[in-house]
Amino acid sequence: MLRSWQETAHLIRELAITDFKLKYQGSVMSYLWSLIKPLASFAVMYLVFVKFLNTSIDPASLFLGIVLWSYFSDFTSSGLKSIVDRGDLIRKIYFPRAIIVVASSLSAFITLLLNLLAVFVFMAFSGQWPTLSAPLFILLLVELYALALGASLILSALYVRFRDISHIWEVCLQILFYSSGILYVLSAVPSAFQSWLAVNPIVQIVQDSRNVLTPIHVTASSDVLSGMLALIPYAIPFVVLGLGIWIFNASSKGFAENV
């Protein structure tokens, strides 16, 4: 059993580093794949949606959206299976099981930092520089982390008992990708549907991130929603996190017998 915060922090760090290394073990390109994959996705989406379909989205905004989405997708997909993948460790020693999900999240965060570096380099070559409100991006990352961690805690607890969850989540990710403003801005959506999309916290995070990092303003959730409704997308990530902690803790006692 872990006796101190130092031991807990050490275990989280070691698990995160191990997860990140194993992700690219045996790969010739190694860590470069963490940059190549979002760049390849950006290239395809740029050609299809900007060049062929003539959508109005700025290339830097598109790249940023893809990077943020890749982080959420990788975070939740790896977090979903993290408890089962560490079943041997769970059966050997006792420690707070949430540590495994948190360690998995840090592995995804390392990839995010590498990808954001590529975004800033791309913006520089495009002649765009972060705005004075760029420090607010840190708060948006905290919000995205809370949403992804809460979802991962729920998914990992469910996956221990119901392995179909992984397939269901793959379908959910596909739906979320096209409904979260990654490939477009809210102003391109018919006004009748804008408010429905605006309550999606991923839409809010992506559009707000574009506004605080790039000089080109895009329609944000706060521009569409009014009054108390504007607080909904900001509150959802922390509601999901609280719900995730509760479900995970209620289920964790049976992990050792089911992984």
Side-chain angles (χ1 to χ4, degrees):
M1 183 175 178
L2 299 179
R3 300 176 182 177
S4 66
W5 285 105
Q6 289 81 4
E7 291 181 356
T8 301
H10 177 74
L11 178 58
I12 292 175
R13 184 178 68 251
E14 291 302 314
L15 288 175
I17 294 174
T18 300
D19 285 344
F20 188 74
K21 289 181 177 179
L22 288 176
K23 187 176 181 180
Y24 301 103
Q25 187 177 35
S27 171
V28 175
M29 301 294 289
S30 188
Y31 306 131
L32 287 177
W33 281 115
S34 62
L35 296 174
I36 293 173
K37 288 190 288 186
L39 282 171
S41 296
F42 164 72
V44 173
M45 299 302 177
Y46 178 75
L47 288 174
V48 173
F49 288 91
V50 178
K51 290 299 184 181
F52 296 161
L53 299 181
N54 294 318
T55 57
S56 58
I57 189 169
D58 173 66
S61 294
L62 175 61
F63 191 16
L64 177 60
I66 290 174
V67 165
L68 293 177
W69 170 258
S70 297
Y71 170 62
F72 177 80
S73 177
D74 291 345
F75 186 156
T76 55
S77 296
S78 60
L80 181 151
K81 298 181 179 180
S82 60
I83 297 297
V84 172
D85 289 346
R86 293 290 183 180
D88 55 340
L89 183 62
I90 289 175
R91 288 188 293 267
K92 289 179 181 177
I93 60 174
Y94 174 78
F95 59 91
R97 307 315 191 195
I99 286 177
I100 295 176
V101 182
V102 172
S104 176
S105 75
L106 294 181
S107 176
F109 190 72
I110 296 173
T111 301
L112 172 65
L113 293 179
L114 293 173
N115 290 338
L116 285 176
L117 178 61
V119 171
F120 292 136
V121 171
F122 181 84
M123 289 175 60
F125 276 103
S126 301
Q128 299 183 21
W129 301 98
T131 65
L132 293 177
S133 58
L136 293 175
F137 181 60
I138 297 175
L139 297 179
L140 295 170
L141 287 181
V142 171
E143 186 184 354
L144 182 59
Y145 181 83
L147 177 64
L149 179 58
S152 295
L153 288 170
I154 296 172
L155 292 168
S156 61
L158 293 175
Y159 184 69
V160 170
R161 293 183 176 273
F162 310 104
R163 301 304 165 89
D164 288 340
I165 290 297
S166 62
H167 303 290
I168 295 173
W169 185 240
E170 287 178 6
V171 175
C172 290
L173 284 176
Q174 292 180 19
I175 296 173
L176 278 172
F177 178 75
Y178 290 104
S179 63
S180 295
I182 310 300
L183 307 177
Y184 54 87
V185 292
L186 275 177
S187 57
V189 178
S191 56
F193 300 101
Q194 287 184 8
S195 59
W196 291 98
L197 290 176
V199 297
N200 180 345
I202 301 180
V203 171
Q204 172 260 307
I205 292 168
V206 169
Q207 306 307 329
D208 283 355
S209 296
R210 287 167 172 166
N211 283 333
V212 301
L213 287 183
T214 69
I216 300 175
H217 180 80
V218 298
T219 301
S221 294
S222 57
D223 298 322
V224 176
L225 302 174
S226 58
M228 296 299 293
L229 290 177
L231 299 177
I232 293 178
Y234 295 94
I236 288 177
F238 301 100
V239 172
V240 172
L241 177 58
L243 183 62
I245 293 172
W246 179 74
I247 291 176
F248 188 89
N249 288 338
S251 306
S252 61
K253 293 180 180 180
F255 285 170
E257 293 77 21
N258 292 283
V259 293

Short mmCIF file of all heavy atoms in Angstrom, two decimals, residues 124-155:
data_model
loop_
_atom_site.label_atom_id
_atom_site.label_comp_id
_atom_site.label_asym_id
_atom_site.label_seq_id
_atom_site.Cartn_x
_atom_site.Cartn_y
_atom_site.Cartn_z
N ALA A 124 3.28 30.14 -36.71
CA ALA A 124 4.37 31.07 -36.98
C ALA A 124 4.67 31.15 -38.47
O ALA A 124 4.86 32.24 -39.02
CB ALA A 124 5.62 30.65 -36.20
N PHE A 125 4.71 30.00 -39.13
CA PHE A 125 4.96 29.98 -40.57
C PHE A 125 3.80 30.60 -41.34
O PHE A 125 3.98 31.09 -42.46
CB PHE A 125 5.20 28.54 -41.05
CG PHE A 125 6.61 28.08 -40.88
CD1 PHE A 125 6.97 27.22 -39.86
CD2 PHE A 125 7.60 28.51 -41.75
CE1 PHE A 125 8.28 26.80 -39.69
CE2 PHE A 125 8.92 28.09 -41.60
CZ PHE A 125 9.26 27.24 -40.57
N SER A 126 2.60 30.60 -40.74
CA SER A 126 1.42 31.20 -41.39
C SER A 126 1.32 32.69 -41.09
O SER A 126 0.39 33.34 -41.56
CB SER A 126 0.15 30.50 -40.91
OG SER A 126 0.18 29.12 -41.19
N GLY A 127 2.25 33.20 -40.30
CA GLY A 127 2.21 34.61 -39.96
C GLY A 127 1.22 34.96 -38.87
O GLY A 127 0.88 36.13 -38.68
N GLN A 128 0.76 33.94 -38.12
CA GLN A 128 -0.17 34.17 -37.03
C GLN A 128 0.56 33.97 -35.71
O GLN A 128 1.28 33.00 -35.53
CB GLN A 128 -1.36 33.21 -37.12
CG GLN A 128 -2.18 33.36 -38.38
CD GLN A 128 -3.39 32.43 -38.39
OE1 GLN A 128 -3.83 31.97 -37.35
NE2 GLN A 128 -3.92 32.16 -39.57
N TRP A 129 0.32 34.88 -34.78
CA TRP A 129 0.95 34.80 -33.47
C TRP A 129 -0.11 34.76 -32.40
O TRP A 129 -1.17 35.37 -32.55
CB TRP A 129 1.90 35.99 -33.26
CG TRP A 129 2.97 36.06 -34.29
CD1 TRP A 129 2.97 36.84 -35.41
CD2 TRP A 129 4.17 35.28 -34.35
NE1 TRP A 129 4.10 36.61 -36.16
CE2 TRP A 129 4.85 35.66 -35.53
CE3 TRP A 129 4.73 34.32 -33.51
CZ2 TRP A 129 6.07 35.11 -35.89
CZ3 TRP A 129 5.95 33.77 -33.87
CH2 TRP A 129 6.61 34.16 -35.04
N PRO A 130 0.13 34.03 -31.32
CA PRO A 130 -0.87 33.95 -30.24
C PRO A 130 -1.27 35.34 -29.75
O PRO A 130 -0.45 36.26 -29.71
CB PRO A 130 -0.14 33.15 -29.15
CG PRO A 130 0.87 32.34 -29.90
CD PRO A 130 1.32 33.20 -31.04
N THR A 131 -2.52 35.49 -29.38
CA THR A 131 -3.03 36.77 -28.91
C THR A 131 -2.66 36.98 -27.45
O THR A 131 -2.11 36.09 -26.79
CB THR A 131 -4.57 36.81 -29.06
OG1 THR A 131 -5.14 35.81 -28.18
CG2 THR A 131 -4.98 36.50 -30.49
N LEU A 132 -2.98 38.16 -26.93
CA LEU A 132 -2.68 38.48 -25.54
C LEU A 132 -3.49 37.63 -24.57
O LEU A 132 -3.15 37.50 -23.40
CB LEU A 132 -2.94 39.97 -25.27
CG LEU A 132 -2.01 40.95 -25.99
CD1 LEU A 132 -2.43 42.39 -25.70
CD2 LEU A 132 -0.55 40.73 -25.58
N SER A 133 -4.59 37.06 -25.07
CA SER A 133 -5.43 36.21 -24.23
C SER A 133 -4.98 34.75 -24.24
O SER A 133 -5.66 33.89 -23.68
CB SER A 133 -6.89 36.30 -24.68
OG SER A 133 -7.03 35.93 -26.05
N ALA A 134 -3.84 34.47 -24.86
CA ALA A 134 -3.34 33.10 -24.98
C ALA A 134 -3.21 32.37 -23.63
O ALA A 134 -3.46 31.16 -23.57
CB ALA A 134 -2.00 33.09 -25.71
N PRO A 135 -2.83 33.05 -22.52
CA PRO A 135 -2.74 32.34 -21.24
C PRO A 135 -4.05 31.69 -20.80
O PRO A 135 -4.03 30.72 -20.02
CB PRO A 135 -2.31 33.44 -20.26
CG PRO A 135 -1.53 34.40 -21.10
CD PRO A 135 -2.26 34.41 -22.41
N LEU A 136 -5.18 32.18 -21.31
CA LEU A 136 -6.47 31.57 -20.96
C LEU A 136 -6.59 30.16 -21.52
O LEU A 136 -7.44 29.39 -21.07
CB LEU A 136 -7.62 32.43 -21.50
CG LEU A 136 -7.78 33.81 -20.86
CD1 LEU A 136 -8.89 34.60 -21.57
CD2 LEU A 136 -8.10 33.69 -19.38
N PHE A 137 -5.73 29.84 -22.48
CA PHE A 137 -5.74 28.50 -23.06
C PHE A 137 -5.44 27.44 -22.00
O PHE A 137 -5.92 26.31 -22.09
CB PHE A 137 -4.72 28.42 -24.19
CG PHE A 137 -4.66 27.08 -24.88
CD1 PHE A 137 -5.78 26.56 -25.51
CD2 PHE A 137 -3.49 26.35 -24.90
CE1 PHE A 137 -5.74 25.33 -26.15
CE2 PHE A 137 -3.43 25.12 -25.53
CZ PHE A 137 -4.56 24.60 -26.16
N ILE A 138 -4.67 27.81 -20.98
CA ILE A 138 -4.36 26.87 -19.90
C ILE A 138 -5.63 26.45 -19.18
O ILE A 138 -5.82 25.27 -18.85
CB ILE A 138 -3.36 27.51 -18.91
CG1 ILE A 138 -2.04 27.79 -19.62
CG2 ILE A 138 -3.14 26.59 -17.71
CD1 ILE A 138 -1.03 28.53 -18.76
N LEU A 139 -6.54 27.40 -18.95
CA LEU A 139 -7.80 27.09 -18.29
C LEU A 139 -8.66 26.17 -19.15
O LEU A 139 -9.35 25.29 -18.64
CB LEU A 139 -8.57 28.37 -17.98
CG LEU A 139 -7.89 29.35 -17.00
CD1 LEU A 139 -8.74 30.59 -16.82
CD2 LEU A 139 -7.62 28.67 -15.67
N LEU A 140 -8.60 26.37 -20.47
CA LEU A 140 -9.36 25.51 -21.37
C LEU A 140 -8.78 24.10 -21.38
O LEU A 140 -9.54 23.13 -21.50
CB LEU A 140 -9.36 26.11 -22.78
CG LEU A 140 -10.08 27.44 -22.92
CD1 LEU A 140 -9.81 28.07 -24.29
CD2 LEU A 140 -11.58 27.27 -22.70
N LEU A 141 -7.47 23.98 -21.25
CA LEU A 141 -6.85 22.65 -21.15
C LEU A 141 -7.27 21.95 -19.87
O LEU A 141 -7.48 20.74 -19.86
CB LEU A 141 -5.33 22.76 -21.22
CG LEU A 141 -4.71 23.08 -22.58
CD1 LEU A 141 -3.19 23.12 -22.47
CD2 LEU A 141 -5.14 22.07 -23.63
N VAL A 142 -7.38 22.72 -18.78
CA VAL A 142 -7.86 22.15 -17.52
C VAL A 142 -9.29 21.64 -17.69
O VAL A 142 -9.63 20.55 -17.22
CB VAL A 142 -7.80 23.21 -16.40
CG1 VAL A 142 -8.51 22.70 -15.14
CG2 VAL A 142 -6.36 23.56 -16.08
N GLU A 143 -10.10 22.41 -18.38
CA GLU A 143 -11.49 22.00 -18.63
C GLU A 143 -11.54 20.73 -19.48
O GLU A 143 -12.31 19.80 -19.19
CB GLU A 143 -12.23 23.13 -19.34
CG GLU A 143 -13.71 22.90 -19.52
CD GLU A 143 -14.38 23.99 -20.30
OE1 GLU A 143 -13.73 25.01 -20.62
OE2 GLU A 143 -15.59 23.84 -20.63
N LEU A 144 -10.72 20.68 -20.53
CA LEU A 144 -10.68 19.50 -21.39
C LEU A 144 -10.17 18.28 -20.62
O LEU A 144 -10.68 17.16 -20.80
CB LEU A 144 -9.79 19.77 -22.60
CG LEU A 144 -9.66 18.65 -23.64
CD1 LEU A 144 -11.02 18.28 -24.22
CD2 LEU A 144 -8.69 19.05 -24.75
N TYR A 145 -9.19 18.50 -19.76
CA TYR A 145 -8.65 17.40 -18.95
C TYR A 145 -9.72 16.86 -18.01
O TYR A 145 -9.85 15.64 -17.85
CB TYR A 145 -7.44 17.88 -18.15
CG TYR A 145 -6.81 16.79 -17.31
CD1 TYR A 145 -5.91 15.90 -17.86
CD2 TYR A 145 -7.13 16.66 -15.96
CE1 TYR A 145 -5.34 14.90 -17.09
CE2 TYR A 145 -6.57 15.65 -15.18
CZ TYR A 145 -5.67 14.78 -15.75
OH TYR A 145 -5.12 13.78 -15.00
N ALA A 146 -10.47 17.75 -17.38
CA ALA A 146 -11.53 17.33 -16.46
C ALA A 146 -12.58 16.49 -17.19
O ALA A 146 -13.03 15.46 -16.69
CB ALA A 146 -12.18 18.55 -15.81
N LEU A 147 -12.95 16.93 -18.39
CA LEU A 147 -13.95 16.20 -19.19
C LEU A 147 -13.42 14.82 -19.57
O LEU A 147 -14.13 13.80 -19.42
CB LEU A 147 -14.30 16.99 -20.44
CG LEU A 147 -15.28 16.34 -21.41
CD1 LEU A 147 -16.66 16.15 -20.76
CD2 LEU A 147 -15.41 17.17 -22.69
N ALA A 148 -12.20 14.77 -20.08
CA ALA A 148 -11.62 13.50 -20.54
C ALA A 148 -11.36 12.55 -19.38
O ALA A 148 -11.58 11.34 -19.48
CB ALA A 148 -10.34 13.76 -21.32
N LEU A 149 -10.89 13.09 -18.25
CA LEU A 149 -10.63 12.24 -17.09
C LEU A 149 -11.93 11.68 -16.53
O LEU A 149 -12.00 10.48 -16.20
CB LEU A 149 -9.90 13.03 -16.01
CG LEU A 149 -9.58 12.27 -14.71
CD1 LEU A 149 -8.73 11.04 -15.00
CD2 LEU A 149 -8.89 13.18 -13.70
N GLY A 150 -12.95 12.50 -16.42
CA GLY A 150 -14.24 12.02 -15.93
C GLY A 150 -14.80 10.93 -16.82
O GLY A 150 -15.28 9.89 -16.34
N ALA A 151 -14.73 11.16 -18.15
CA ALA A 151 -15.22 10.15 -19.09
C ALA A 151 -14.40 8.87 -18.98
O ALA A 151 -14.95 7.76 -19.04
CB ALA A 151 -15.16 10.70 -20.52
N SER A 152 -13.08 9.00 -18.82
CA SER A 152 -12.20 7.82 -18.73
C SER A 152 -12.49 7.01 -17.47
O SER A 152 -12.44 5.78 -17.49
CB SER A 152 -10.74 8.25 -18.75
OG SER A 152 -10.40 8.85 -19.99
N LEU A 153 -12.76 7.69 -16.37
CA LEU A 153 -13.07 6.99 -15.12
C LEU A 153 -14.36 6.18 -15.27
O LEU A 153 -14.44 5.03 -14.83
CB LEU A 153 -13.21 7.99 -13.97
CG LEU A 153 -11.90 8.64 -13.48
CD1 LEU A 153 -12.21 9.77 -12.52
CD2 LEU A 153 -10.99 7.60 -12.83
N ILE A 154 -15.35 6.77 -15.91
CA ILE A 154 -16.62 6.07 -16.13
C ILE A 154 -16.42 4.89 -17.07
O ILE A 154 -16.85 3.76 -16.79
CB ILE A 154 -17.69 7.02 -16.70
CG1 ILE A 154 -18.01 8.12 -15.69
CG2 ILE A 154 -18.96 6.26 -17.09
CD1 ILE A 154 -18.91 9.22 -16.24
N LEU A 155 -15.74 5.14 -18.19
CA LEU A 155 -15.55 4.10 -19.20
C LEU A 155 -14.70 2.95 -18.67
O LEU A 155 -14.99 1.77 -18.94
CB LEU A 155 -14.89 4.71 -20.44
CG LEU A 155 -15.75 5.70 -21.24
CD1 LEU A 155 -14.90 6.44 -22.25
CD2 LEU A 155 -16.90 4.97 -21.94
#
